[in-house]
Amino acid sequence: MTTLSPAARRACMSLALATCFTASPAMAAASEAPAKDGSATGLDRYYQQHLGWGSCVKGPADTTGGDLDRAGVRCADVTVPLDYTDPLGRTITVSISRLKATDTRHRIGSILLNNGGPGGPSVESPPGVRKAMKDVGARYDIIGFDPRFVGRSTPLDCGWPVGTSWLSAGTSRAGFDRQVVLQKSLADKCRAADSSVLPHISTRNTARDMDVIRGALGERKVSYLGYSYGTYLGTVYTQMFPGRYDRVVLDGAISPNRYGPQLLKGSERENEKALSDWAAWAAERHDAYGLGRTRAEVLATVDRVVAASARGPLTVGAGADVFRIDDSQVPVLLFSSVGDDTDPTRAFLGEQLSVLNMAAQGAAPTTLSPNFAATLRYLLHGGDEPSGVQHAIICGDVAAPRDPRRYWRDIERNRAAHPLFGPLTSNIGPCAFWDRPREEPTQVRRDGRVLIVAATGDPRTTYKGSLELHKLLPSSRLVTLEGANRHALFGRYGNTCVDDEVNRYLATGKLPTKDQTCVKQAG
């Protein structure tokens, strides 16, 4: 069983966070909703399969499976074709979980979950979502699923020596040149691990898998809750399978027009604002972190730490946990923590910067907290979890520019305006060395009655992305949370206004008559 630890997820960043190529005629046919659940395209055996529900435990060390069993969740594997143009060919499995409705008299249907990533698992999520849904949760079968090649599903492991490829180009051309070598090696490792499956790892195929899940559950329509990248997946599903969805909530939405290997570009200002707000918070706690007594002093400390890491890696930790952090990695630590403005995450960033600041000043390394050590271990060395699937999905969706010189020019332009985050958001990645996608990206050509949830200060999937999706789907409604630097809201942030708006929609199926605005609660 494979799920990321909380520290690993924090380092991994829940969001990944182009030329289009014409699909083959066979693939284009598979893009439409199959008539009568697949009978017209040879997929009927998948839509009509019997699901063997049972224990979620995969082995003696599977504590997550044990927790799911105790919560009343049951699990099953859904068989899907690797290649939807060849339904009689090789098959793979997609792992799903189900927490059945308890208010069967008022049952609404099934709701599928996606936590983002791309490549995030959600088999573990039904109990938490049931709690977030409050009374309405009892009226749904809550379905978690690990997308193809993720978690408990048929896996892909590229064997990367690092936990994530989302790194900064650093402050010099030499640093960028090292990134080119690294990112090409990561793409090569995925190709060497299993080149036969890479062309079939894509959002469109995950959407097809979702529809097979819907059919195997015996549902005419399915509801959906998606966070972050999960909003893109949900949007793609509405376009590929119109008439097959009921109530759809897209939390922290991505504009389909912006989705691609450099999705983080354009988020620099939001991340700078979030970092500045964190700096004001840290300044009020100078006695705890020693980073400065004003916002400006804390931000100056950040700049000094980055500059020191560019002159030579900073050594932190002691004993078995000694790490060397350079200017390709320090911005990632900053970026990965400013997506949440709650006190625990802000305190974690304060801890990290305090340690790095002492290292920049030449202090002897000290023992790290278990959380920080786990984060650095994952970032620098990877972990026990399979690696590479996040970029396999993104690279399989949208082609990336291939010339490293183009990236360097872009980095230099972006660095001028955004010296800290520009070299991160504009950096080259594995997709520059990936085989080209088999299909062109999904275009939004159909309206959709969905509920979009967004924070104005979201540093990951920025608020302008939610506004763009709202415009593309005129019948949608937008719930805006003002004043929060936060990514992912419903059931996770504790904002009563947002949670009530979502649950009202899930209970009634009626969108608000107009867009709604909520405000960040004190504390």
Side-chain angles (χ1 to χ4, degrees):
M1 166 337 242
T2 303
T3 54
L4 297 182
S5 66
R9 288 181 185 174
R10 188 178 293 110
C12 184
M13 303 175 293
S14 64
L15 170 71
L17 249 111
T19 306
C20 297
F21 296 90
T22 304
S24 68
M27 185 62 77
S31 299
E32 302 302 324
K36 298 182 180 179
D37 281 358
S39 58
T41 54
L43 298 171
D44 52 309
R45 69 185 181 109
Y46 299 104
Y47 278 89
Q48 298 169 15
Q49 65 186 287
H50 171 76
L51 299 179
W53 296 103
S55 171
C56 296
V57 176
K58 293 288 189 179
D62 185 5
T63 57
T64 298
D67 290 342
L68 290 172
D69 280 2
R70 285 186 288 274
V73 178
R74 306 299 279 173
C75 292
D77 286 332
V78 179
T79 301
V80 298
L82 172 67
D83 181 352
Y84 274 85
T85 67
D86 183 18
L88 298 180
R90 179 179 170 184
T91 63
I92 57 175
T93 60
V94 173
S95 183
I96 67 173
S97 60
R98 180 176 67 181
L99 187 57
K100 294 192 71 173
T102 55
D103 185 359
T104 55
R105 183 177 178 182
H106 302 100
R107 182 181 180 275
I108 294 170
S110 294
I111 183 168
L112 268 63
L113 313 176
N114 185 275
N115 290 324
S122 65
V123 160
E124 66 200 55
S125 298
V129 172
R130 168 71 52 89
K131 182 178 179 181
M133 292 171 69
K134 300 178 181 177
D135 292 342
V136 71
R139 301 174 60 193
Y140 282 90
D141 287 358
I142 303 176
I143 309 296
F145 75 102
D146 289 356
R148 53 173 50 203
F149 300 102
V150 172
R152 296 166 180 254
S153 300
T154 298
L156 169 73
D157 186 3
C158 294
W160 284 2
V162 292
T164 177
S165 67
W166 296 103
L167 298 165
S168 175
T171 59
S172 68
R173 178 58 191 257
F176 171 72
D177 290 342
R178 289 192 293 271
Q179 285 295 306
V180 173
V181 174
L182 171 65
Q183 302 294 346
K184 183 179 185 303
S185 74
L186 297 180
D188 290 342
K189 284 182 178 294
C190 283
R191 197 172 291 109
D194 195 343
S195 61
S196 66
V197 304
L198 296 183
H200 309 291
I201 305 178
S202 69
T203 298
R204 290 177 66 83
N205 278 333
T206 299
R208 294 178 178 112
D209 295 343
M210 285 173 54
D211 203 56
V212 169
I213 293 170
R214 178 201 58 76
L217 291 172
E219 301 283 12
R220 186 174 64 88
K221 294 184 177 182
V222 69
S223 295
Y224 178 80
L225 168 62
Y227 297 91
S228 191
Y229 159 82
T231 68
Y232 178 71
L233 173 61
T235 301
V236 169
Y237 186 81
T238 68
Q239 300 303 300
M240 292 178 66
F241 298 97
R244 298 282 177 86
Y245 62 92
D246 184 11
R247 302 163 200 195
V248 174
V249 179
L250 306 178
D251 190 328
I254 296 173
S255 169
N257 296 333
R258 293 177 179 266
Y259 175 78
Q262 289 192 300
L263 179 59
L264 298 179
K265 282 185 64 177
S267 69
E268 297 86 4
R269 292 187 186 281
E270 287 81 0
N271 280 280
E272 289 165 352
K273 173 64 163 58
L275 181 63
S276 178
D277 289 350
W278 168 83
W281 179 94
E284 295 175 353
R285 295 157 178 81
H286 174 74
D287 291 344
Y289 304 114
L291 300 173
R293 297 187 181 278
T294 68
R295 183 197 309 256
E297 289 178 356
V298 174
L299 292 174
T301 299
V302 170
D303 290 341
R304 286 195 299 272
V305 168
V306 174
S309 71
R311 291 192 296 270
L314 305 177
T315 301
V316 299
D321 288 324
V322 175
F323 305 96
R324 291 168 61 79
I325 317 297
D326 65 23
D327 58 339
S328 72
Q329 297 142 354
V330 171
V332 178
L333 295 174
L334 297 166
F335 183 92
S336 63
S337 288
V338 297
D340 179 7
D341 62 6
T342 60
D343 278 357
T345 302
R346 283 181 159 178
F348 183 57
L349 181 54
E351 171 199 340
Q352 294 176 81
L353 259 295
S354 179
V355 171
L356 293 172
N357 185 40
M358 288 188 290
Q361 295 174 357
T366 58
T367 301
L368 303 176
S369 71
N371 201 16
F372 192 16
T375 297
L376 292 178
R377 195 178 305 116
Y378 176 80
L379 176 65
L380 300 178
H381 306 304
D384 296 333
E385 302 87 3
S387 59
V389 68
Q390 181 182 67
H391 272 84
I393 296 168
I394 299 172
C395 302
D397 283 338
V398 182
R402 307 186 75 83
D403 185 354
R405 293 172 298 182
R406 175 173 173 175
Y407 290 91
W408 176 246
R409 290 192 297 267
D410 198 18
I411 288 166
E412 289 291 87
R413 284 192 297 267
N414 210 356
R415 189 199 309 277
H418 308 289
L420 177 58
F421 292 120
L424 169 63
T425 61
S426 300
N427 195 22
I428 196 167
C431 297
F433 308 99
W434 216 264
D435 294 341
R436 299 196 181 268
R438 294 188 66 187
E439 297 185 78
E440 34 176 78
T442 300
Q443 301 297 314
V444 176
R445 296 191 174 94
R446 296 182 173 96
D447 195 3
R449 293 183 56 79
V450 307
L451 186 66
I452 303 169
V453 180
T456 54
D458 187 340
R460 293 294 169 275
T461 54
T462 62
Y463 186 61
K464 56 181 172 279
S466 291
L467 292 175
E468 289 176 11
L469 180 61
H470 186 27
K471 186 175 181 179
L472 288 170
L473 303 174
S475 296
S476 65
R477 291 293 180 267
L478 175 63
V479 177
T480 297
L481 177 62
E482 293 185 339
N485 302 321
R486 167 70 187 203
H487 181 58
L489 300 173
F490 172 66
R492 299 183 178 188
Y493 194 54
N495 186 274
T496 302
C497 175
V498 168
D499 291 352
D500 287 350
E501 288 288 348
V502 173
N503 282 326
R504 187 178 299 113
Y505 167 61
L506 292 175
T508 65
K510 297 179 180 179
L511 290 168
T513 56
K514 61 181 181 179
D515 294 342
Q516 301 294 308
T517 299
C518 300
V519 296
K520 180 181 177 180
Q521 297 165 196

